[in-house]
Amino acid sequence: MFSMGLRYILNALPVVSYVILLSFSYSFLLYICGRVSLTFAGIYLVGAYATVSLSIALMGNSLSFAGFMGILLLASLLGAAMLVASYLCFERFLKTDVHRMVATSSLLLVFRGLVKVVWGTTPVTYSAPFLELGVSEIAGNIVPNYYLFMLGLALLLMLALAYFLNRTSWGMRFRASSLDGDRTMAQACGVNQNLVTLMTFAISGVLAGLAGGLYAPIAGAAYGSEANALLLAALSVIIGGVGSIGGAVLAAFIVGIVRAVAAIKMPVLELAVPFIIASVTLMLRPFGIWGKEFRY
Amino acid sequence: MGANTRTGRMMPSYIDDRLIATIVLTAIAAVIPLFVSEYVRTLIQRCLLWIPPTFGVYIIYSLLRQVHFAQSIFIGLGSYIAAFLAGKYFVTSELLILLPLSLIVSIGVAYVLGIFIMRRTGFYFAIMGIAVTMAFWSLVYKMRQITGGSDGISDIKNPSLFGIQLGDQGLYYVSLVVSLGLILLMRRILHSPFSLQLRAISGDLQKAESIGIPVNGMRRLAFIVAGANAGVAGVLLAFSYNYVGPTTFAWEFGAHFVQAAIIGGVNYFVGPIVGAFVFVGLEFLVSTWFPNLWEVVIGVIVAVIVVTVGEEGVTGIVKDLFGRTLKRANLEERTYSDGK
């Protein structure tokens, strides 16, 4: 029984890791800037495709793991650049939440369409890093090392972000401008709000691009996978609570593991189960398991 | 009551320019299939069938200020009811059975979903809507034995009405009548106390609660009205496309109705009608020349419209350009005034 449970958890690790990154990318933007943006799913898709294409173009069959890390870095920087560009050219003109939801969902469709134009609808895969790292054994279960690498990287980034937000002076400026603090007051105290917003978008873009790049060697880059990503990440934010790092990790584990169990036991309900969890969470704790009450 | 005071002409007061415009447009829609090719007729039929679901989005947007991405659920339910009963397990193709059945199913599903989805507003509602569409999508996609999986169900025979088998032209007229009937019904609803209560809710929640408006019930009722519209249109859309697949449930399909409503302009009652025609027309025109680009083009257009004119949409732009001409026709029936 225990080993079965452990196997489900180990199989769920890739989804858990990318949902951690992606959901925090969304909730970070919402928490610091108070901006709803669905563009992150488009960045995720582009990140996945960019990673696969770059890997195939630059490395081909001869894989070096350092090279793959470099490509992941490129993909996350590309994500940051795209999200910042979309903010500068477009999203900063949106004044209300309703406008933001409508416009960014259109923007997501635009990203999707552009991916379709550039890469087509056939999924592309590059699984060399996944195969290269080999497997290890945990309590009788064989688990690919890449899964552990993904989870480790995601948790490490979350820890780094928690340190940045809670222990550094720039983090204090971020928190002062967030939904917890007071934007106008922070501005009056000399915190450059434009810079904070730009940096928030950049960090959010890094997380979204990295999520796509990290998950690509396992699932491949597939047109249409952005809907899955959007769903899991956004529901994790609802479950975990807006702006909470612990909540993002916890909710990603809940969603990922329950989804993995459902995918094997009741494949029909695979995507209904996260929705049901989110509904129950909204009934019991309207602001998420770990969330505080904001104006949302 | 002799003279119509607004137009200053000697006419009974129930005849005004708006009524005349409606009659003229309906007459045009009624005679146009006699002059155009079959392809164009199908296109116009599709535009007509896009109007009711777009009105659903419009009601939620203009009265409650929420974004309703979940319209594709009800389209999908209606479509699959039509596909099962008139296609795969041929039971009946009688529209008098299919349409009410789809209406009842949509209302039931909307009632149950409304309990979960309408609990919170803002991005919670939007995201839960997307989540529900995806849940339905995976359900339909994976129940391969029943729904045909990703292949969907094609080969849906044309329906019959009062036992008479309808041709393609007959289907067009049924679509016209249904969509016109729903438009008139929506007009009635928008001038009812129900709509005033919804506006009060979106204006100030606390005030609305304190004067005794059942906030949650009213929100859920709006969701049901929107869903019922889409459910009815879904049946006819299945016959129009002659194919039903899991993509009917996909979230981007629901988002397209939001885009259509925004393109038309949610400040105006004619907005959804204009939006449906512009959206389907654009989709057709762009995909004729660049098959892969229509989503990009429409997405960019919606984004630009949201940034520049907001809720005014194409209707607002046209009104500004030809304001003097349209002032007489008095088409600018405002349904929402921005309080904030």
Side-chain angles (χ1 to χ4, degrees):
Chain A
M1 188 58 215
F2 172 72
S3 85
M4 271 306 276
L6 188 64
R7 196 191 301 163
Y8 282 130
I9 294 174
L10 291 176
N11 278 333
L13 286 185
V15 176
V16 168
S17 338
Y18 98 82
V19 170
I20 290 177
L21 293 173
L22 209 52
S23 74
F24 198 66
S25 147
Y26 175 59
S27 99
F28 192 57
L29 210 54
L30 193 55
Y31 175 62
I32 305 286
C33 303
R35 282 175 172 274
V36 185
S37 172
L38 305 182
T39 328
F40 71 94
I43 307 286
Y44 161 87
L45 192 62
V46 175
Y49 270 103
T51 307
V52 172
S53 308
L54 276 177
S55 302
I56 292 174
L58 294 181
M59 298 196 289
N61 290 323
S62 61
L63 171 98
S64 74
F65 202 72
F68 182 68
M69 294 295 282
I71 286 169
L72 279 185
L73 188 67
L74 276 181
S76 38
L77 289 181
L78 177 73
M82 277 168 55
L83 207 56
V84 167
S86 95
Y87 168 71
L88 285 178
C89 308
F90 177 64
E91 283 186 40
R92 67 191 167 121
F93 301 113
L94 302 168
K95 297 296 179 220
T96 65
D97 277 351
V98 190
H99 283 186
R100 281 173 201 146
M101 275 184 289
V102 172
T104 55
S105 68
S106 294
L107 211 58
L108 173 54
L109 291 179
V110 169
F111 274 121
R112 227 174 81 101
L114 288 178
V115 163
K116 194 177 174 181
V117 171
V118 177
W119 282 286
T121 52
T122 344
V124 287
T125 45
Y126 182 73
S127 48
F130 173 62
L131 302 172
E132 187 80 3
L133 273 182
V135 294
S136 54
E137 197 179 311
I138 298 177
N141 290 299
I142 289 179
V143 50
N145 283 336
Y146 191 79
Y147 287 14
L148 303 174
F149 163 69
M150 270 182 87
L151 186 70
L153 193 58
L155 290 180
L156 200 69
L157 266 175
M158 287 299 111
L159 277 179
L161 265 174
Y163 179 81
F164 168 72
L165 278 179
N166 296 317
R167 292 281 183 274
T168 62
S169 90
W170 261 104
M172 201 157 70
R173 288 172 208 189
F174 272 68
R175 279 183 294 133
S177 328
S178 72
L179 294 182
D180 262 344
D182 187 328
R183 236 185 145 72
T184 327
M185 198 61 204
Q187 172 107 47
C189 295
V191 179
N192 186 343
Q193 288 303 314
N194 289 336
L195 197 57
V196 167
T197 308
L198 272 182
M199 280 172 73
T200 314
F201 268 87
I203 292 173
S204 179
V206 163
L207 291 177
L210 187 63
L214 263 182
Y215 194 47
I218 297 177
Y223 173 81
S225 66
E226 85 291 337
N228 241 323
L230 170 72
L231 170 82
L232 293 180
L235 285 185
S236 295
V237 174
I238 291 181
I239 294 169
V242 172
S244 134
I245 292 179
V249 175
L250 184 67
F253 268 100
I254 293 175
V255 166
I257 291 170
V258 173
R259 190 190 144 278
V261 174
I264 293 168
K265 297 280 184 197
M266 297 172 291
V268 169
L269 292 182
E270 188 189 334
L271 292 181
V273 166
F275 167 72
I276 293 167
I277 298 176
S279 306
V280 173
T281 315
L282 280 186
M283 279 177 197
L284 301 177
R285 290 187 60 89
F287 294 94
I289 297 175
W290 212 308
K292 276 173 269 176
E293 183 168 341
F294 296 123
R295 65 187 175 86
Y296 284 102
Chain B
M1 311 295 275
N4 185 336
T5 45
R6 193 169 56 221
T7 50
R9 276 173 270 162
M10 291 300 287
M11 269 194 294
S13 60
Y14 54 84
I15 295 179
D16 63 357
D17 292 332
R18 226 176 280 153
L19 183 70
I20 294 171
T22 314
I23 290 172
V24 169
L25 286 177
T26 314
I28 291 176
V31 296
I32 214 166
L34 305 175
F35 301 108
V36 296
S37 69
E38 199 174 324
Y39 192 80
V40 177
R41 191 190 61 212
T42 320
L43 206 64
I44 298 174
Q45 182 184 339
R46 211 156 283 171
C47 295
L48 289 172
L49 291 177
W50 268 62
I51 292 172
T54 315
F55 256 109
V57 174
Y58 162 80
I59 283 181
I60 303 273
Y61 195 114
S62 71
L63 300 181
L64 280 173
R65 311 301 278 170
Q66 308 291 330
V67 191
H68 184 16
F69 283 118
Q71 205 65 305
S72 57
I73 299 169
F74 305 104
I75 294 274
L77 283 173
S79 300
Y80 269 95
I81 284 174
F84 282 149
L85 293 185
K88 197 175 177 192
Y89 314 102
F90 186 85
V91 182
T92 175
S93 63
E94 176 62 53
L95 278 178
L96 288 181
I97 297 173
L98 289 178
L99 290 179
L101 183 68
S102 163
L103 189 67
I104 291 166
V105 170
S106 302
I107 289 175
V109 171
Y111 181 82
V112 176
L113 286 181
I115 297 172
F116 302 110
I117 295 186
M118 273 295 189
R119 189 156 285 267
R120 296 285 307 277
T121 54
F123 91 87
Y124 286 91
F125 171 66
I127 294 296
M128 291 299 263
I130 293 179
V132 169
T133 60
M134 289 298 292
F136 270 93
W137 175 84
S138 85
L139 197 74
V140 171
Y141 191 80
K142 300 222 168 102
M143 287 166 82
R144 182 163 278 281
Q145 279 84 21
I146 303 173
T147 58
S150 55
D151 299 336
I153 300 168
S154 50
D155 188 29
I156 305 166
K157 307 257 176 353
N158 265 358
S160 54
L161 186 66
F162 299 112
I164 306 163
Q165 183 71 31
L166 289 176
D168 287 348
Q169 200 138 357
L171 195 59
Y172 175 87
Y173 285 110
V174 170
S175 308
L176 178 62
V177 169
V178 166
S179 121
L180 193 68
L182 284 174
I183 291 172
L184 294 177
L185 193 65
M186 285 308 109
R187 196 181 135 71
R188 182 73 200 84
I189 283 178
L190 284 171
H191 288 87
S192 67
F194 165 72
S195 119
L196 288 177
Q197 289 181 351
L198 288 184
R199 259 176 256 188
I201 291 171
S202 78
D204 192 325
L205 189 67
Q206 267 83 35
K207 265 185 209 163
E209 260 176 343
S210 66
I211 59 170
I213 296 174
V215 171
N216 282 329
M218 278 299 158
R219 275 190 190 143
R220 212 178 302 155
L221 198 54
F223 189 69
I224 290 173
V225 169
N229 265 317
V232 171
V235 172
L236 294 169
L237 269 175
F239 289 118
S240 166
Y241 283 107
N242 214 350
Y243 164 78
V244 177
T247 46
T248 328
F249 279 107
W251 81 272
E252 61 262 23
F253 193 54
H256 288 163
F257 293 109
V258 177
Q259 292 185 320
I262 292 293
I263 288 179
V266 270
N267 272 352
Y268 304 95
F269 183 76
V270 290
I273 305 172
V274 175
F277 273 88
V278 172
F279 187 97
V280 178
L282 262 180
E283 181 189 342
F284 165 71
L285 283 180
V286 178
S287 58
T288 313
W289 290 302
F290 311 103
N292 283 331
L293 271 180
W294 69 268
E295 253 183 344
V296 177
V297 170
I298 288 182
V300 169
I301 288 175
V302 172
V304 169
I305 281 182
V306 170
V307 169
T308 51
V309 293
E311 278 91 16
E312 295 284 309
V314 171
T315 318
I317 296 172
V318 170
K319 199 199 90 189
D320 280 354
L321 289 179
F322 309 102
R324 206 168 292 164
T325 330
L326 280 182
K327 204 174 171 190
R328 274 193 51 234
N330 201 4
L331 286 170
E332 71 265 31
E333 188 176 349
R334 277 187 172 272
T335 51
Y336 178 80
S337 57
D338 203 343
K340 288 164 212 164

